[in-house]
Amino acid sequence: MRRGAVTVRRDFAESAGRRSDLVIGREESFGAAREQLARGGSVLLHGPAGIGKSTVLRTLAAEHARTTPTVLRCSATESESHLPFLALADLLGMVLDQVSDALPAAQRTALESALTGRGESTLQRDGLALRLAVLSTLRALAAEGPVLVVADDLQWLDPASAELLGFAARRLGDTPVRLLCAVRTEEPRAEGAEYDRHLRASPPDTRAVRLGPLTRAQVSALLDERGYSGLPRSTVRDIHRTSGGNPLFALELGRALAESPTPPRPGEPLPVPTSLRALVLTRLEMLSDEARRTLLVASAGARPTPALLHAAGRENAEAETAQAATLGLLATDPEGPAVRFAHPLISAALYAEAPAPERRAAHAALSTAASDPIERARHLALATTGTDPEVAARLAEAAALARDRGAPSVAASLGLLAARHTPPDSAPGPDERRVTAAEDAITAGEPDLARDIAREVLTRAGAPGERVRAWMVVIEAAGQAIGDVDAAFPQALADAGDDPRLLALVHYQLAWRSLVVQGDFAQGREEAAHAARLAAEAGDRRSELLALAFQAQAETLMGHPDAPATIGRALAEPQDARVACHHNGAGSTRFRWLVMNDRLAEARTAVTGLLREVRRRGMAESEVHYLRFLAETELHSGHCGRALELSRESLTLARDAGIGEGAGAMQAALAEAAGGDVRRAVTLAREAVRRTEEEGDAVYLSRALAALGHASLVAGDAEAAVRALRRVRELEAGAGITDPARGRWQGDLAEALVRTGEPAEALDVIEITRAHALRLGRGSVLAVLDRAEALVRAARGEHRSAVTRLTSARERLAGLGYGLEEARAAFALAELRADRPGRAPGAGSYDEAARLFRRCRALPWLRQVEAAVAARTTEPLPAPPAVPDVLAGLASMERQVAALVMEGATNREIAGRLFVSVKTVEATLTRVYRKLGIRSRVDIVRLAAGRREE
């Protein structure tokens, strides 16, 4: 129990400086609580133990202490909860003297007796006087300025203090007294009764804010913040799963791993430190030995059920699990028969506490009881010590099955187990199985694990094939930072010798190096073509297809005339199913070709199918890329809200897996500039530039700079846009990129140059780009260039020809399906007409542009229209509804469905784009109607268009 009532600001200095713990994963909760306190309301934070309530509470209190004259606080403990008035003494003990004169004698006497313990005050004897005394004290303090009452761990408040504080809180009315409290609650579905009584004891305007579990990415950031940054991502995944997203548990697990001399073996749970075992194991002492053995078997199983426990020899499983549920160790699951632990940590602690022979016995029982062959093989491995060729073979078969099921992460784990049980002189040997596991880890989006496995193989002199494959894993794991592993290439070439199959693998990666590190598309094309010829000679169709896809992609971006023929070769039979859907495969190349040729509907269909397939196969890196590709397609189509959702999802996955973060930030910046927050767009674009420069990624550096230029232009900083886009022009010229549909930045550069008073350079950009666009038949690029040239003509006073060009450009962009570019042309046309000499400006000039931007949900652009109207006329533009505010109360799926309806999508189209059934869309729409108080799709469209139903 912390003593002291009036808290001066310096008492909070330490917690205020520790914002890093709070910011990670708590931005939304913290923002909601802060907003409530700023309005003069009270806040009740709630959630399970270790979830971070005290951290948020302390930081909020520290922040508000700067402007609040009086801060009263208490923090109860379970061991002192039986002492009456103890929390009240913490709160009011140090302020009693300054308010005692303001209290009636009877109240003063009762309160002094309760706080000092010198009398025999009780709620039964002095109840009314004590209640009124607490209320009067708070009112007296509030007369001198606002008061903040901070109470942590309300569940341990002594009953007398809780009763008195609740009485006063319910009667404060408009008195400037706010309560900031925290209380421990359990799972969301079981917690209602626990904090309802605390809400009833709070002021009527109290806002309850639940702190939930952190995501895997947030746990990773928290561990990095606390210095546990050397953990592989697969280990971070296990920490997140075991901790259940609880930050305290995650940090303790991270600390235990950092201090452990040996990491857990594949398939084994994490070591659970004593500090966490104590939280859960005390309840195990009340179980019988047989019940503990039953729970151990359950903790070893992946999806334990009573039937599985019976099959594993636990005859009294129902009674023993019922006993464990009564003690809070297991949670009842109304949706199925599964035996579910109340928290993953209970299972991990139980397993960690068990002796090794008992663990092996549990796995041995499950190796015959489990119905799934993958589970049987895993349990057999964990029940076996030493090498065993039969066990190793079963594990390798299980890994192949997991790979086919779309679970490459599971396949990698099983492959490592297979290698551990493989005798050294076997064929295939342990290192070959390790390399296969590393390749599965790459597919699963776990480059750290893959790199560690490959480097372990390379420490030993092995067969050339194994060594070259290991070098390829090291290079793949580097991602866009391929320049960091330059030393791998000569060693891989030396190991490959004159074997065309192995040389094909190395030259394929050399093609990527030429592109990413040197920015040389021509050299990359030559390396890829050489790799394709070597692979064909060796009969390695998979490598040949990847090399052909690379060659086709390079030729497409270069505007090379052979591109269509190479795409045809890459798509020819026979195909490899995994290459066909890989983000570097022919399917991806065809998607890029479709987008660059303005076939947006076909491109959306293609990338949607690819995304569905890679999700089925568990190809994490490809999923990140295809989400970004789909976001790009939706952005071109003018579906800005949908593009924003997809780009944010892609960036979240990229950061979670450490894959393509620069490219993800680049696409997210473009989506934010179109449909979100322009300041965030600029921040993301700068992040993308920084990341690509740090990684030496010449391919995405130009695209990141293009995103920065675009975001700067939308933000109104034309000079910054010109600086960024001039660099893009130089980089692409040096790389030999001539197809303007690759980055589509040329129109932005010309527009920015017009704004900075450099129309001659703008026209030069337009003319050079137009020549390439005409040669390649890039219709949308030509229309955007005409829009930009119209701005040049307008700057020269050629209004009539500028209007003609803008009108034509808008019509062509509309016909091609580029909704946002069409709206930009309409906006430029409105600006031109509003500026026409002799014309009285009015809001009506901008109505069509505003309508088109609303249809696209292009909020930053809509604000530009409003600003233009405000600058030219006092006539207001009809205010659109705050669509994001309208949708803010919806769940994520409901918000996505409503947004797509606003964009005009049918139920079948929505189902296809969100990967759900039509029935799911219909059911979701029913919920949307109810929540928004509307009756039909038409009403949603009216919201998007800024109309209300009469």
Side-chain angles (χ1 to χ4, degrees):
M1 178 78 71
R2 287 190 300 272
R3 300 294 178 182
V6 179
T7 305
V8 294
R9 295 183 184 114
R10 64 176 178 271
D11 291 343
F12 286 103
E14 180 180 356
S15 59
R18 293 290 301 273
R19 279 301 304 275
S20 58
D21 292 347
L22 165 69
V23 169
I24 297 171
R26 297 299 179 215
E27 294 86 351
E28 185 175 347
S29 301
F30 184 80
R34 171 195 277 162
E35 181 182 344
Q36 174 73 358
L37 291 171
R39 288 200 300 258
S42 296
V43 172
L44 177 65
L45 304 168
H46 62 101
I51 206 68
K53 302 181 299 297
S54 296
T55 302
V56 175
L57 180 135
R58 285 195 302 268
T59 310
L60 283 168
E63 184 176 286
H64 285 275
R66 303 186 187 103
T67 56
T68 303
T70 304
V71 178
L72 313 174
R73 63 174 179 171
C74 68
S75 181
T77 63
E78 184 177 11
S79 62
E80 297 174 336
S81 61
H82 66 285
L83 299 174
F85 306 121
L86 190 58
L88 191 67
D90 280 350
L91 287 171
L92 304 181
M94 293 181 65
V95 297
L96 181 59
D97 289 343
Q98 72 183 73
V99 300
S100 60
D101 291 342
L103 303 180
Q107 295 179 22
R108 182 171 59 251
T109 300
L111 186 57
E112 288 176 347
S113 176
L115 297 185
T116 63
R118 288 194 292 268
E120 296 183 359
S121 180
T122 65
L123 278 179
Q124 286 73 30
R125 195 185 74 179
D126 302 318
L128 181 58
L130 269 175
R131 288 173 171 83
L132 293 175
V134 173
L135 180 59
S136 299
T137 298
L138 293 174
R139 285 174 174 166
L141 292 170
E144 303 297 324
V147 176
L148 179 65
V149 177
V150 182
D152 200 1
D153 283 320
L154 282 184
Q155 73 277 2
W156 304 131
L157 246 64
D158 62 274
S161 296
E163 167 62 26
L164 292 171
L165 188 60
F167 175 87
R170 291 190 296 271
R171 289 163 176 80
L172 286 169
D174 294 332
T175 306
V177 177
R178 294 165 295 170
L179 269 65
L180 172 59
C181 305
V183 63
R184 180 185 301 180
T185 55
E186 298 304 326
E187 296 184 42
R189 61 186 174 189
E191 70 181 2
E194 295 182 50
Y195 76 86
D196 274 353
R197 63 186 180 92
H198 295 291
L199 272 180
R200 288 194 296 270
S202 302
D205 65 346
T206 298
R207 179 171 182 174
V209 177
R210 174 172 175 78
L211 300 184
L214 301 182
T215 66
R216 190 169 92 177
Q218 290 164 349
V219 165
S220 177
L222 180 62
L223 291 167
D224 287 345
E225 173 66 28
R226 286 299 187 89
Y228 306 129
S229 54
L231 299 172
R233 293 184 183 276
S234 56
T235 302
V236 173
R237 178 196 62 203
D238 292 340
I239 290 175
H240 177 255
R241 183 180 63 246
T242 303
S243 68
N246 184 296
L248 173 64
F249 298 170
L251 287 171
E252 286 296 295
L253 290 167
R255 181 183 60 80
L257 279 167
E259 295 174 355
S260 175
T262 56
R265 296 188 301 177
E268 290 186 344
L270 298 175
V272 180
T274 304
S275 59
L276 293 184
R277 294 188 198 186
L279 293 176
V280 297
L281 293 181
T282 52
R283 283 175 283 178
L284 288 172
E285 296 174 358
M286 303 177 66
L287 289 174
S288 66
D289 290 343
E290 289 301 311
R292 288 188 65 166
R293 292 191 184 96
T294 295
L295 289 194
L296 176 61
V297 174
S299 72
R303 293 174 296 277
T305 62
L308 178 65
L309 295 176
H310 273 292
R314 308 312 303 166
E315 297 178 355
N316 298 316
E318 284 88 352
E320 289 161 353
T321 53
Q323 181 189 4
T326 302
L327 294 173
L329 295 165
L330 296 179
T332 55
D333 191 345
E335 299 178 0
V339 176
R340 188 168 64 87
F341 285 89
H343 191 280
L345 185 64
I346 297 174
S347 173
L350 175 65
Y351 188 92
E353 190 76 5
E358 290 188 15
R359 293 188 206 174
R360 288 196 294 271
H363 286 296
L366 289 167
S367 69
T368 58
S371 59
D372 185 86
I374 292 176
E375 278 302 294
R376 287 199 302 270
R378 185 179 74 88
H379 289 301
L380 179 62
L382 295 173
T384 305
T385 58
T387 59
D388 187 320
E390 183 179 345
V391 171
R394 286 184 57 182
L395 284 163
E397 292 170 2
L401 180 57
R403 196 177 303 121
D404 291 341
R405 287 182 180 178
S409 180
V410 175
S413 177
L414 292 168
L416 289 175
L417 285 170
R420 193 176 85 196
H421 290 285
T422 300
D425 55 351
S426 294
D431 280 344
E432 183 174 348
R433 282 175 168 155
R434 287 189 182 93
V435 173
T436 302
E439 292 168 343
D440 284 327
I442 285 286
T443 302
E446 298 180 11
D448 293 346
L449 175 62
R451 184 188 304 109
D452 291 345
I453 299 169
R455 291 206 178 276
E456 179 188 352
V457 170
L458 290 167
T459 59
R460 297 181 291 273
E466 295 168 7
R467 291 186 61 80
V468 171
R469 286 173 61 196
W471 285 123
M472 296 305 99
V473 168
V474 170
I475 294 168
E476 286 273 1
Q480 297 302 112
I482 193 172
D484 292 348
V485 291
D486 266 354
F489 287 100
Q491 297 182 69
L493 284 169
D495 285 332
D498 57 1
D499 186 329
R501 182 180 64 84
L502 299 180
L503 286 170
L505 297 176
V506 182
H507 281 281
Y508 173 69
Q509 292 297 343
L510 282 169
W512 278 107
R513 185 190 177 282
S514 298
L515 195 64
V516 174
V517 178
Q518 299 173 302
D520 191 335
F521 277 69
Q523 179 64 29
R525 172 181 176 270
E526 290 302 319
E527 289 283 6
H530 184 41
R533 288 192 295 271
L534 288 167
E537 178 186 342
D540 182 355
R541 182 61 173 163
R542 181 180 188 279
S543 295
E544 182 187 8
L545 289 170
L546 281 170
L548 286 171
F550 181 102
Q551 181 183 343
Q553 183 103 319
E555 290 173 350
T556 299
L557 297 176
M558 294 167 65
H560 196 286
D562 290 348
T566 308
I567 291 175
R569 290 171 61 201
L571 291 170
E573 295 295 338
Q575 283 289 316
D576 179 287
R578 295 185 70 82
V579 173
C581 66
H582 193 275
H583 62 277
N584 289 328
S588 174
T589 301
R590 178 174 177 271
F591 159 80
R592 177 61 55 204
W593 186 84
L594 290 168
V595 169
M596 295 175 72
N597 282 274
D598 299 327
R599 294 161 67 171
L600 296 181
E602 292 176 71
R604 181 186 293 110
T605 299
V607 74
T608 299
L610 290 167
L611 180 58
R612 184 182 295 114
E613 181 63 13
V614 298
R615 280 177 166 168
R616 187 184 72 81
R617 291 178 176 273
M619 299 167 69
E621 184 174 5
S622 293
E623 180 180 0
V624 169
H625 284 280
Y626 286 137
L627 280 168
R628 193 176 72 248
F629 292 173
L630 185 54
E632 177 188 346
T633 308
E634 298 291 12
L635 198 55
H636 286 319
S637 302
H639 303 149
C640 300
R642 176 66 173 147
L644 194 58
E645 294 269 359
L646 288 164
S647 63
R648 286 173 176 172
E649 183 182 356
S650 175
L651 182 57
T652 297
L653 288 177
R655 286 178 169 159
D656 190 16
I659 297 171
E661 295 179 72
M666 175 272 298
Q667 186 60 49
L670 293 172
E672 291 284 352
D677 185 321
V678 177
R679 289 175 298 180
R680 177 168 168 76
V682 173
T683 299
L684 284 166
R686 286 175 178 158
E687 177 192 341
V689 172
R690 175 180 57 79
R691 286 185 179 277
T692 51
E693 286 180 331
E694 289 174 352
E695 294 172 352
D697 182 357
V699 173
Y700 274 107
L701 175 57
S702 63
R703 298 203 62 185
L705 285 165
L708 179 58
H710 177 77
S712 299
L713 183 66
V714 179
D717 191 347
E719 292 182 354
V722 169
R723 287 195 300 271
L725 295 173
R726 277 175 175 160
R727 282 191 66 191
V728 177
R729 191 180 188 189
E730 294 170 2
L731 288 170
E732 294 204 351
I737 300 173
T738 60
D739 195 328
R742 188 244 179 180
R744 300 175 183 268
W745 49 267
Q746 296 85 355
D748 283 342
L749 175 55
E751 183 174 338
L753 287 166
V754 171
R755 292 190 189 183
T756 57
E758 300 169 86
E761 184 181 346
L763 196 58
D764 180 62
V765 171
I766 291 167
E767 289 176 348
I768 292 174
T769 306
R770 181 177 283 136
H772 291 303
L774 285 168
R775 174 174 61 85
L776 297 167
R778 304 300 189 228
S780 62
V781 174
L782 289 167
V784 168
L785 292 173
D786 279 357
R787 185 184 70 202
E789 185 177 346
L791 299 179
V792 174
R793 290 174 180 264
R796 293 176 173 175
E798 303 170 14
H799 285 267
R800 180 171 297 178
S801 63
V803 167
T804 301
R805 280 192 175 271
L806 278 174
T807 303
S808 171
R810 180 195 163 184
E811 291 172 353
R812 285 146 55 207
L813 289 166
L816 291 169
Y818 285 80
L820 182 57
E821 298 295 351
E822 176 197 357
R824 288 180 64 179
F827 183 25
L829 195 57
E831 294 264 75
L832 198 58
R833 287 171 172 163
D835 288 339
R836 186 183 305 169
R839 176 184 172 92
S845 305
Y846 294 91
D847 285 350
E848 181 64 4
R851 182 187 71 80
L852 291 174
F853 283 134
R854 285 176 193 150
R855 185 185 69 182
C856 294
R857 290 184 63 198
L859 302 179
W861 288 101
L862 189 57
R863 294 186 192 105
Q864 287 196 32
V865 175
E866 293 168 347
V869 172
R872 288 174 168 79
T873 179
T874 57
E875 180 184 345
L877 186 71
V883 172
D885 293 339
V886 170
L887 304 185
L890 302 179
S892 176
M893 174 62 75
E894 295 165 352
R895 190 165 59 251
Q896 292 182 59
V897 170
L900 289 172
V901 170
M902 288 177 172
E903 294 170 3
T906 65
N907 285 4
R908 186 169 297 280
E909 290 171 340
I910 295 170
R913 286 159 69 175
L914 296 183
F915 309 106
V916 297
S917 68
V918 174
K919 287 186 177 180
T920 299
V921 174
E922 293 169 348
T924 304
L925 274 175
T926 300
R927 294 195 299 272
V928 170
Y929 298 155
R930 184 175 66 252
K931 290 183 178 181
L932 296 183
I934 58 179
R935 294 192 296 271
S936 69
R937 294 170 58 94
V938 175
D939 294 330
I940 295 180
V941 175
R942 284 173 175 159
L943 287 176
R947 299 190 294 269
R948 293 279 192 261
E949 187 178 11
E950 297 295 327

